Amino acid sequence: MRLKRFFLRYYPPGIILEYEKGGNLRTKSIDLLDLSPQTNPEELVEEIRQSEPLITESRADQVKQLILRLQQKQGQQDHHRFCFFKELKAHILPLTNVAIDKSGSRFITGSYDRTCRVWDTASGTELHTLEGHRNVVYAVAFNNPYGDKIATGSFDKTCKLWCAETGKCFHTFRGHIAEVVCLAFNHQSTLVATGSMDTTAKLWDVETGEEVATLTGHTAEVLSLCFNTVGDQLVTGSFDHTVGIWDIATGRRVRTLIGHRGEIANVQFNWDCSFIVTGSMDKTCKLWEAVSGKCVATMVGHKEEVLDVCFDLSGQLIATASADGTARVYSATTHNCILTLEGHDGEISKVCFSPQGNRVLTASSDKTARLWDVHSGVCLQVLEGHRDEIFSLVFNYEGSKDNTCRIWY
Amino acid sequence: MGLLSILRKLKSTPDQEVRILLLGLDNGGKTTLLKQLASEDISHITPTQGFNIKSVQSQGFKLNVWDIGGQRKIRPYWRNYFENTDVLELAELLDEEKLSGVPVLIFANKQDLLTAAPASEIAEGLNLHTIRDRMWQIQSCSALTGEGIQEGMNWVCKSVNSKKK
């Protein structure tokens, strides 16, 4: 084994090693999820050398420089204020979900008008209209980090795979017997998982377009799903109040997480695949160990349903959105509620972290999106202008039921 | 609840829940009728972009009324909403496969206007008497005053009852 070069990953912090083994180029990543500006770089280099044989004495100084670069990035103050850039109004019926590619240069919107549209973020111009579905396009996704393919899930019971560059439809995945309402690519971009109102989830091969597996076992609709980073497991959340963990290779259910007393609104793995977080209509959010399936914490405090939940990229924080009009930030390690974000005049249906994990963005039925500082809990900005409830958002853009999508820079 | 509410409403509805599609010409008064049903303020209504959904309790039934915009450019999308519909309130759609057997109620709206055509004239104009494959009813009403709406809804509950039997 011979180390060829280093790549730096800012969010979540990590160093990627490119090395040669048996004549083949390979990569592996050293995740530095606990890195902070206060971390001692010398000690960390020592620690990495203990566990990683590729990092030899001669490379130690280089690794230290990389760690300093990562810390420098973390220490950067971000005082950016978002300005309203452009309103896109091409759909004549309400939007459903939106998604963005990794670089943020393109994004996609699904709509009740049965199309999915691909947009150029910088100019706000439409690049492609993906037509072919016979009913509402509900779920949309990019195959990040590559961003060259798009998957769309529709109420017409099918899922379609598209070329992001040309807008050509590669495959139509047929097999569900009810609406497709959630979908995801694995991080390797070899599989698409779809969840349906028919109570099943299915796995599809991106290359061949064939169905790989049907994940059966839920007794009610599958509303959310998430692959882990390595791609060997999928987690599904259902209206039957349970969460399923599935082995990708066999299509078998390895664990059922039971404990919530209401429908599961969303479910997510953290970056290093050790924990799963779930938000439920029972007003709580639960943290589960991915391997044992044990519930390690129930996070309470919300007075109404939890409608969305997510980890930050380093997996240290959890944000929840609730029908009680507040969002909360919990520590994933102590399970304490660190912040309650108050200010919205209506239900909050979506929440997400910035890649750095220092900002939280919320979308509400009060027609605004709000940007919050994670350290102080202060609302930094109110993004106003939508004329109806906001349904979906991701960092630096959002979609709404008022048929428009607004870009904020 | 954002998009989750749409999925909840999409869920297979129990027996005592009915989905009603409210379709018609633009400016026909569909949204006014819906708001009147839900006892809401009707003084500020603008053309519907997209749709409104309201749930109304009536005679032990939960009526989920979907009010879909009537403008010409939106009409092709009505089809999106046809599946699982229990009652339909406009002609012309009678040939639609997904809506076969669904009872039709026609509201002869705007009867508060002196120039409004009476229900009998509309029934004749629409050739309602030729409909044999489903139950139908015409009800004169005024969404503005609320007159006739309750009678129409009573018929809806009655005909859904007999259809389910």
Side-chain angles (χ1 to χ4, degrees), chain B residues 29-105:
Chain B
K30 296 177 295 301
T31 307
T32 311
L33 202 144
L34 182 68
K35 295 222 168 188
Q36 190 66 259
L37 267 177
S39 312
E40 284 179 26
D41 177 36
I42 54 166
S43 48
H44 302 286
I45 291 175
T46 52
T48 306
Q49 301 287 339
F51 58 85
N52 303 304
I53 312 170
K54 290 247 182 301
S55 294
V56 192
Q57 289 288 346
S58 176
Q59 302 181 11
F61 276 103
K62 188 173 172 200
L63 306 177
N64 292 317
V65 187
W66 296 55
D67 159 32
I68 305 169
Q71 294 158 57
R72 190 166 294 277
K73 62 175 185 179
I74 300 183
R75 283 180 217 163
Y77 301 98
W78 284 355
R79 198 177 294 260
N80 283 356
Y81 306 85
F82 287 170
E83 267 173 67
N84 309 319
T85 296
D86 298 291
V87 179
L88 169 71
E89 311 197 341
L90 186 82
E92 271 184 21
L93 299 151
L94 299 178
D95 291 335
E96 190 62 44
E97 208 177 307
K98 289 178 185 168
L99 295 175
S100 67
V102 172
V104 182
L105 170 66

Side-chain angles (χ1 to χ4, degrees), chain A residues 92-97 112-114 134-136 138 155 157 179 181 197 220-221 223 239 263-265 281 305-307 347 349-350 389-392 401 403, chain B residues 1-13 19 48-53 66 68-69 71-84 98:
Chain A
I92 61 166
L93 286 175
L95 298 183
T96 50
N97 281 298
Y112 266 78
D113 70 9
R114 298 181 230 162
R134 293 171 173 204
N135 209 328
V136 179
Y138 188 80
F155 286 0
K157 306 168 192 173
E179 294 85 350
V181 295
M197 300 298 277
E221 295 79 0
L223 268 288
F239 267 178
E263 292 106 324
I264 308 295
M281 300 292 174
E305 292 103 332
V306 173
L307 302 178
E347 298 183 345
S349 58
K350 288 278 173 185
E389 183 172 358
I390 303 178
F391 272 172
S392 181
K401 195 180 113 184
N403 309 351
Chain B
M1 237 195 272
L3 286 170
L4 273 175
S5 63
I6 291 173
L7 297 186
R8 264 201 172 170
K9 292 202 164 106
L10 205 66
K11 250 186 95 159
S12 40
T13 45
R19 188 204 276 200
T48 306
Q49 301 287 339
F51 58 85
N52 303 304
I53 312 170
W66 296 55
I68 305 169
Q71 294 158 57
R72 190 166 294 277
K73 62 175 185 179
I74 300 183
R75 283 180 217 163
Y77 301 98
W78 284 355
R79 198 177 294 260
N80 283 356
Y81 306 85
F82 287 170
E83 267 173 67
N84 309 319
K98 289 178 185 168

Side-chain angles (χ1 to χ4, degrees), chain A residues 12-152:
Chain A
I15 298 170
I16 319 292
L17 312 178
E18 191 178 81
Y19 62 101
E20 207 178 57
K21 191 183 180 188
N24 291 323
L25 267 190
R26 291 166 187 239
T27 59
K28 73 161 107 173
S29 111
I30 303 174
D31 292 344
L32 304 172
L33 303 183
D34 299 323
L35 186 77
S36 77
Q38 287 76 41
T39 309
N40 181 331
E42 270 95 12
E43 283 174 18
L44 184 55
V45 174
E46 252 339 283
E47 223 175 279
I48 295 173
R49 281 195 51 203
Q50 299 291 328
S51 56
E52 183 48 70
L54 280 171
I55 309 295
T56 54
E57 180 68 48
S58 61
R59 297 285 196 174
D61 195 52
Q62 248 181 309
V63 173
K64 187 180 152 195
Q65 293 307 318
L66 293 176
I67 291 170
L68 288 172
R69 284 256 302 277
L70 287 173
Q71 285 180 311
Q72 201 183 3
K73 188 81 182 175
Q74 287 185 323
Q76 263 175 21
Q77 288 301 312
D78 178 13
H79 293 301
H80 182 75
R81 274 188 76 77
F82 288 93
C83 297
F84 173 59
F85 172 62
K86 195 158 187 172
E87 179 182 88
L88 309 175
K89 204 172 178 174
H91 292 284
I92 61 166
L93 286 175
L95 298 183
T96 50
N97 281 298
V98 290
I100 193 161
D101 71 350
K102 191 191 171 221
S103 66
S105 63
R106 284 165 310 161
F107 67 95
I108 47 179
T109 53
S111 168
Y112 266 78
D113 70 9
R114 298 181 230 162
T115 68
C116 170
R117 287 170 204 257
V118 188
W119 304 87
D120 178 68
T121 316
S123 63
T125 51
E126 188 185 320
L127 301 173
H128 298 290
T129 302
L130 310 181
E131 284 175 284
H133 279 298
R134 293 171 173 204
N135 209 328
V136 179
V137 175
Y138 188 80
V140 294
F142 267 109
N143 65 333
N144 288 332
Y146 309 99
D148 61 341
K149 295 188 185 73
I150 292 166
T152 53

